[in-house]
PDB file of all heavy atoms in Angstrom:
ATOM      1  N   GLN A  73       9.619  -9.359   9.009  1.00 75.00           N
ATOM      2  CA  GLN A  73      10.639  -8.658   9.786  1.00 75.00           C
ATOM      3  C   GLN A  73      11.223  -9.606  10.821  1.00 75.00           C
ATOM      4  O   GLN A  73      10.507 -10.448  11.376  1.00 75.00           O
ATOM      5  CB  GLN A  73      10.045  -7.430  10.478  1.00 75.00           C
ATOM      6  CG  GLN A  73      11.100  -6.567  11.173  1.00 75.00           C
ATOM      7  CD  GLN A  73      10.502  -5.310  11.771  1.00 75.00           C
ATOM      8  OE1 GLN A  73       9.296  -5.218  11.964  1.00 75.00           O
ATOM      9  NE2 GLN A  73      11.337  -4.337  12.069  1.00 75.00           N
ATOM     10  N   ILE A  74      12.535  -9.472  11.075  1.00 83.00           N
ATOM     11  CA  ILE A  74      13.225 -10.273  12.086  1.00 83.00           C
ATOM     12  C   ILE A  74      13.765  -9.329  13.152  1.00 83.00           C
ATOM     13  O   ILE A  74      14.389  -8.314  12.843  1.00 83.00           O
ATOM     14  CB  ILE A  74      14.368 -11.093  11.465  1.00 83.00           C
ATOM     15  CG1 ILE A  74      13.802 -12.103  10.449  1.00 83.00           C
ATOM     16  CG2 ILE A  74      15.136 -11.846  12.547  1.00 83.00           C
ATOM     17  CD1 ILE A  74      14.874 -12.879   9.707  1.00 83.00           C
ATOM     18  N   TYR A  75      13.510  -9.658  14.414  1.00 80.00           N
ATOM     19  CA  TYR A  75      13.935  -8.816  15.526  1.00 80.00           C
ATOM     20  C   TYR A  75      14.610  -9.688  16.582  1.00 80.00           C
ATOM     21  O   TYR A  75      14.092 -10.753  16.933  1.00 80.00           O
ATOM     22  CB  TYR A  75      12.734  -8.089  16.134  1.00 80.00           C
ATOM     23  CG  TYR A  75      13.060  -7.284  17.372  1.00 80.00           C
ATOM     24  CD1 TYR A  75      13.755  -6.087  17.273  1.00 80.00           C
ATOM     25  CD2 TYR A  75      12.687  -7.734  18.636  1.00 80.00           C
ATOM     26  CE1 TYR A  75      14.067  -5.344  18.397  1.00 80.00           C
ATOM     27  CE2 TYR A  75      12.991  -6.998  19.769  1.00 80.00           C
ATOM     28  CZ  TYR A  75      13.679  -5.804  19.650  1.00 80.00           C
ATOM     29  OH  TYR A  75      13.994  -5.086  20.767  1.00 80.00           O
ATOM     30  N   ILE A  76      15.765  -9.258  17.098  1.00 84.00           N
ATOM     31  CA  ILE A  76      16.470  -9.964  18.165  1.00 84.00           C
ATOM     32  C   ILE A  76      16.389  -9.106  19.415  1.00 84.00           C
ATOM     33  O   ILE A  76      16.853  -7.964  19.423  1.00 84.00           O
ATOM     34  CB  ILE A  76      17.935 -10.241  17.792  1.00 84.00           C
ATOM     35  CG1 ILE A  76      18.005 -11.067  16.499  1.00 84.00           C
ATOM     36  CG2 ILE A  76      18.647 -10.974  18.926  1.00 84.00           C
ATOM     37  CD1 ILE A  76      19.407 -11.298  15.994  1.00 84.00           C
ATOM     38  N   ASP A  77      15.780  -9.639  20.483  1.00 81.00           N
ATOM     39  CA  ASP A  77      15.602  -8.841  21.689  1.00 81.00           C
ATOM     40  C   ASP A  77      16.841  -8.898  22.578  1.00 81.00           C
ATOM     41  O   ASP A  77      17.852  -9.534  22.241  1.00 81.00           O
ATOM     42  CB  ASP A  77      14.331  -9.252  22.447  1.00 81.00           C
ATOM     43  CG  ASP A  77      14.388 -10.664  23.022  1.00 81.00           C
ATOM     44  OD1 ASP A  77      15.498 -11.211  23.210  1.00 81.00           O
ATOM     45  OD2 ASP A  77      13.309 -11.228  23.304  1.00 81.00           O
ATOM     46  N   ARG A  79      17.457 -10.430  25.191  1.00 80.00           N
ATOM     47  CA  ARG A  79      17.777 -11.756  25.724  1.00 80.00           C
ATOM     48  C   ARG A  79      18.356 -12.687  24.673  1.00 80.00           C
ATOM     49  O   ARG A  79      18.708 -13.828  24.973  1.00 80.00           O
ATOM     50  CB  ARG A  79      16.517 -12.389  26.329  1.00 80.00           C
ATOM     51  CG  ARG A  79      15.912 -11.592  27.481  1.00 80.00           C
ATOM     52  CD  ARG A  79      14.526 -12.083  27.825  1.00 80.00           C
ATOM     53  NE  ARG A  79      13.609 -11.877  26.700  1.00 80.00           N
ATOM     54  CZ  ARG A  79      12.328 -12.261  26.713  1.00 80.00           C
ATOM     55  NH1 ARG A  79      11.826 -12.868  27.767  1.00 80.00           N
ATOM     56  NH2 ARG A  79      11.551 -12.036  25.669  1.00 80.00           N
ATOM     57  N   TYR A  81      16.615 -13.670  22.041  1.00 82.00           N
ATOM     58  CA  TYR A  81      15.534 -14.404  21.395  1.00 82.00           C
ATOM     59  C   TYR A  81      15.259 -13.772  20.027  1.00 82.00           C
ATOM     60  O   TYR A  81      15.288 -12.550  19.870  1.00 82.00           O
ATOM     61  CB  TYR A  81      14.258 -14.374  22.223  1.00 82.00           C
ATOM     62  CG  TYR A  81      14.378 -14.996  23.598  1.00 82.00           C
ATOM     63  CD1 TYR A  81      13.368 -14.821  24.541  1.00 82.00           C
ATOM     64  CD2 TYR A  81      15.485 -15.753  23.964  1.00 82.00           C
ATOM     65  CE1 TYR A  81      13.466 -15.383  25.814  1.00 82.00           C
ATOM     66  CE2 TYR A  81      15.598 -16.317  25.226  1.00 82.00           C
ATOM     67  CZ  TYR A  81      14.585 -16.120  26.155  1.00 82.00           C
ATOM     68  OH  TYR A  81      14.681 -16.670  27.409  1.00 82.00           O
ATOM     69  N   VAL A  82      14.961 -14.616  19.064  1.00 86.00           N
ATOM     70  CA  VAL A  82      14.692 -14.155  17.706  1.00 86.00           C
ATOM     71  C   VAL A  82      13.181 -14.199  17.456  1.00 86.00           C
ATOM     72  O   VAL A  82      12.540 -15.239  17.660  1.00 86.00           O
ATOM     73  CB  VAL A  82      15.423 -15.033  16.667  1.00 86.00           C
ATOM     74  CG1 VAL A  82      15.129 -14.534  15.256  1.00 86.00           C
ATOM     75  CG2 VAL A  82      16.927 -15.036  16.938  1.00 86.00           C
ATOM     76  N   TRP A  83      12.640 -13.060  17.021  1.00 80.00           N
ATOM     77  CA  TRP A  83      11.214 -12.948  16.726  1.00 80.00           C
ATOM     78  C   TRP A  83      11.032 -12.658  15.244  1.00 80.00           C
ATOM     79  O   TRP A  83      11.669 -11.771  14.694  1.00 80.00           O
ATOM     80  CB  TRP A  83      10.580 -11.836  17.560  1.00 80.00           C
ATOM     81  CG  TRP A  83      10.714 -12.061  19.033  1.00 80.00           C
ATOM     82  CD1 TRP A  83      11.784 -11.777  19.824  1.00 80.00           C
ATOM     83  CD2 TRP A  83       9.745 -12.665  19.895  1.00 80.00           C
ATOM     84  NE1 TRP A  83      11.542 -12.146  21.121  1.00 80.00           N
ATOM     85  CE2 TRP A  83      10.294 -12.691  21.202  1.00 80.00           C
ATOM     86  CE3 TRP A  83       8.448 -13.166  19.699  1.00 80.00           C
ATOM     87  CZ2 TRP A  83       9.610 -13.208  22.295  1.00 80.00           C
ATOM     88  CZ3 TRP A  83       7.757 -13.679  20.782  1.00 80.00           C
ATOM     89  CH2 TRP A  83       8.339 -13.699  22.066  1.00 80.00           C
ATOM     90  N   ILE A  84      10.160 -13.429  14.610  1.00 81.00           N
ATOM     91  CA  ILE A  84       9.948 -13.310  13.173  1.00 81.00           C
ATOM     92  C   ILE A  84       8.475 -13.019  12.920  1.00 81.00           C
ATOM     93  O   ILE A  84       7.610 -13.853  13.224  1.00 81.00           O
ATOM     94  CB  ILE A  84      10.355 -14.605  12.436  1.00 81.00           C
ATOM     95  CG1 ILE A  84      11.786 -15.004  12.810  1.00 81.00           C
ATOM     96  CG2 ILE A  84      10.208 -14.433  10.934  1.00 81.00           C
ATOM     97  CD1 ILE A  84      12.155 -16.412  12.403  1.00 81.00           C
ATOM     98  N   SER A  85       8.185 -11.823  12.409  1.00 76.00           N
ATOM     99  CA  SER A  85       6.797 -11.519  12.045  1.00 76.00           C
ATOM    100  C   SER A  85       6.558 -12.017  10.626  1.00 76.00           C
ATOM    101  O   SER A  85       7.413 -11.864   9.749  1.00 76.00           O
ATOM    102  CB  SER A  85       6.517 -10.022  12.143  1.00 76.00           C
ATOM    103  OG  SER A  85       7.301  -9.296  11.230  1.00 76.00           O
ATOM    104  N   VAL A  91       3.372 -14.694  14.655  1.00 76.00           N
ATOM    105  CA  VAL A  91       4.743 -14.403  15.090  1.00 76.00           C
ATOM    106  C   VAL A  91       5.426 -15.706  15.461  1.00 76.00           C
ATOM    107  O   VAL A  91       4.847 -16.548  16.157  1.00 76.00           O
ATOM    108  CB  VAL A  91       4.747 -13.460  16.319  1.00 76.00           C
ATOM    109  CG1 VAL A  91       6.163 -13.214  16.790  1.00 76.00           C
ATOM    110  CG2 VAL A  91       4.069 -12.152  15.980  1.00 76.00           C
ATOM    111  N   ASN A  92       6.656 -15.858  15.018  1.00 80.00           N
ATOM    112  CA  ASN A  92       7.439 -17.031  15.368  1.00 80.00           C
ATOM    113  C   ASN A  92       8.572 -16.630  16.303  1.00 80.00           C
ATOM    114  O   ASN A  92       9.217 -15.601  16.104  1.00 80.00           O
ATOM    115  CB  ASN A  92       8.022 -17.694  14.112  1.00 80.00           C
ATOM    116  CG  ASN A  92       6.945 -18.202  13.183  1.00 80.00           C
ATOM    117  OD1 ASN A  92       6.038 -18.900  13.613  1.00 80.00           O
ATOM    118  ND2 ASN A  92       7.021 -17.836  11.922  1.00 80.00           N
ATOM    119  N   GLU A  93       8.804 -17.457  17.324  1.00 81.00           N
ATOM    120  CA  GLU A  93       9.864 -17.198  18.302  1.00 81.00           C
ATOM    121  C   GLU A  93      10.880 -18.334  18.263  1.00 81.00           C
ATOM    122  O   GLU A  93      10.506 -19.515  18.254  1.00 81.00           O
ATOM    123  CB  GLU A  93       9.273 -17.090  19.708  1.00 81.00           C
ATOM    124  CG  GLU A  93      10.334 -16.888  20.785  1.00 81.00           C
ATOM    125  CD  GLU A  93       9.789 -17.154  22.189  1.00 81.00           C
ATOM    126  OE1 GLU A  93       8.698 -17.737  22.310  1.00 81.00           O
ATOM    127  OE2 GLU A  93      10.482 -16.797  23.155  1.00 81.00           O
ATOM    128  N   TYR A  94      12.162 -17.947  18.248  1.00 82.00           N
ATOM    129  CA  TYR A  94      13.219 -18.964  18.306  1.00 82.00           C
ATOM    130  C   TYR A  94      14.202 -18.615  19.415  1.00 82.00           C
ATOM    131  O   TYR A  94      14.664 -17.482  19.515  1.00 82.00           O
ATOM    132  CB  TYR A  94      13.978 -19.054  16.976  1.00 82.00           C
ATOM    133  CG  TYR A  94      15.165 -20.001  17.065  1.00 82.00           C
ATOM    134  CD1 TYR A  94      14.985 -21.368  17.098  1.00 82.00           C
ATOM    135  CD2 TYR A  94      16.458 -19.490  17.159  1.00 82.00           C
ATOM    136  CE1 TYR A  94      16.062 -22.234  17.213  1.00 82.00           C
ATOM    137  CE2 TYR A  94      17.542 -20.347  17.276  1.00 82.00           C
ATOM    138  CZ  TYR A  94      17.339 -21.712  17.307  1.00 82.00           C
ATOM    139  OH  TYR A  94      18.408 -22.560  17.433  1.00 82.00           O
ATOM    140  N   ARG A 102       8.572 -21.677  17.894  1.00 78.00           N
ATOM    141  CA  ARG A 102       7.236 -21.560  18.474  1.00 78.00           C
ATOM    142  C   ARG A 102       6.447 -20.483  17.739  1.00 78.00           C
ATOM    143  O   ARG A 102       6.960 -19.400  17.472  1.00 78.00           O
ATOM    144  CB  ARG A 102       7.342 -21.195  19.957  1.00 78.00           C
ATOM    145  CG  ARG A 102       6.004 -21.116  20.683  1.00 78.00           C
ATOM    146  CD  ARG A 102       6.229 -21.037  22.181  1.00 78.00           C
ATOM    147  NE  ARG A 102       6.784 -19.758  22.593  1.00 78.00           N
ATOM    148  CZ  ARG A 102       6.084 -18.821  23.234  1.00 78.00           C
ATOM    149  NH1 ARG A 102       4.807 -19.014  23.514  1.00 78.00           N
ATOM    150  NH2 ARG A 102       6.651 -17.691  23.603  1.00 78.00           N
ATOM    151  N   LEU A 104       3.182 -17.931  17.641  1.00 77.00           N
ATOM    152  CA  LEU A 104       2.168 -17.227  18.420  1.00 77.00           C
ATOM    153  C   LEU A 104       1.088 -16.731  17.469  1.00 77.00           C
ATOM    154  O   LEU A 104       1.386 -16.041  16.497  1.00 77.00           O
ATOM    155  CB  LEU A 104       2.793 -16.035  19.159  1.00 77.00           C
ATOM    156  CG  LEU A 104       4.022 -16.340  20.018  1.00 77.00           C
ATOM    157  CD1 LEU A 104       4.593 -15.056  20.594  1.00 77.00           C
ATOM    158  CD2 LEU A 104       3.657 -17.301  21.138  1.00 77.00           C
ATOM    159  N   TYR A 120       6.267  -5.483  23.331  1.00 93.00           N
ATOM    160  CA  TYR A 120       6.436  -5.507  21.879  1.00 93.00           C
ATOM    161  C   TYR A 120       5.203  -4.896  21.228  1.00 93.00           C
ATOM    162  O   TYR A 120       4.075  -5.319  21.493  1.00 93.00           O
ATOM    163  CB  TYR A 120       6.623  -6.941  21.371  1.00 93.00           C
ATOM    164  CG  TYR A 120       7.895  -7.601  21.816  1.00 93.00           C
ATOM    165  CD1 TYR A 120       8.126  -8.947  21.573  1.00 93.00           C
ATOM    166  CD2 TYR A 120       8.899  -6.886  22.479  1.00 93.00           C
ATOM    167  CE1 TYR A 120       9.295  -9.566  21.987  1.00 93.00           C
ATOM    168  CE2 TYR A 120      10.064  -7.491  22.886  1.00 93.00           C
ATOM    169  CZ  TYR A 120      10.255  -8.829  22.647  1.00 93.00           C
ATOM    170  OH  TYR A 120      11.423  -9.439  23.059  1.00 93.00           O
ATOM    171  N   TYR A 132       2.127  -6.666  22.954  1.00 94.00           N
ATOM    172  CA  TYR A 132       2.314  -8.020  23.488  1.00 94.00           C
ATOM    173  C   TYR A 132       3.408  -8.008  24.550  1.00 94.00           C
ATOM    174  O   TYR A 132       4.437  -7.352  24.389  1.00 94.00           O
ATOM    175  CB  TYR A 132       2.699  -8.951  22.332  1.00 94.00           C
ATOM    176  CG  TYR A 132       3.144 -10.333  22.728  1.00 94.00           C
ATOM    177  CD1 TYR A 132       2.236 -11.296  23.131  1.00 94.00           C
ATOM    178  CD2 TYR A 132       4.503 -10.678  22.680  1.00 94.00           C
ATOM    179  CE1 TYR A 132       2.654 -12.573  23.477  1.00 94.00           C
ATOM    180  CE2 TYR A 132       4.926 -11.943  23.025  1.00 94.00           C
ATOM    181  CZ  TYR A 132       3.995 -12.879  23.423  1.00 94.00           C
ATOM    182  OH  TYR A 132       4.419 -14.143  23.769  1.00 94.00           O
ATOM    183  N   PRO A 134       6.080 -10.314  26.157  1.00 88.00           N
ATOM    184  CA  PRO A 134       6.733 -11.613  25.967  1.00 88.00           C
ATOM    185  C   PRO A 134       7.015 -12.342  27.278  1.00 88.00           C
ATOM    186  O   PRO A 134       7.253 -13.543  27.282  1.00 88.00           O
ATOM    187  CB  PRO A 134       8.032 -11.240  25.244  1.00 88.00           C
ATOM    188  CG  PRO A 134       8.321  -9.846  25.696  1.00 88.00           C
ATOM    189  CD  PRO A 134       6.982  -9.188  25.849  1.00 88.00           C
ATOM    190  N   ASP A 137       3.365 -13.831  27.848  1.00 88.00           N
ATOM    191  CA  ASP A 137       2.670 -14.355  26.657  1.00 88.00           C
ATOM    192  C   ASP A 137       1.245 -13.820  26.558  1.00 88.00           C
ATOM    193  O   ASP A 137       0.328 -14.530  26.139  1.00 88.00           O
ATOM    194  CB  ASP A 137       2.651 -15.889  26.647  1.00 88.00           C
ATOM    195  CG  ASP A 137       3.965 -16.483  26.179  1.00 88.00           C
ATOM    196  OD1 ASP A 137       4.732 -15.765  25.516  1.00 88.00           O
ATOM    197  OD2 ASP A 137       4.226 -17.655  26.481  1.00 88.00           O
TER     198      ASP A 137
END
Side-chain angles (χ1 to χ4, degrees):
Q73 187 176 18
I74 297 175
Y75 175 74
I76 302 175
D77 66 21
R79 299 167 296 178
Y81 299 168
V82 180
W83 300 82
I84 307 166
S85 63
V91 178
N92 297 310
E93 177 195 14
Y94 174 74
R102 183 168 71 107
L104 307 175
Y120 294 172
Y132 171 76
D137 281 340

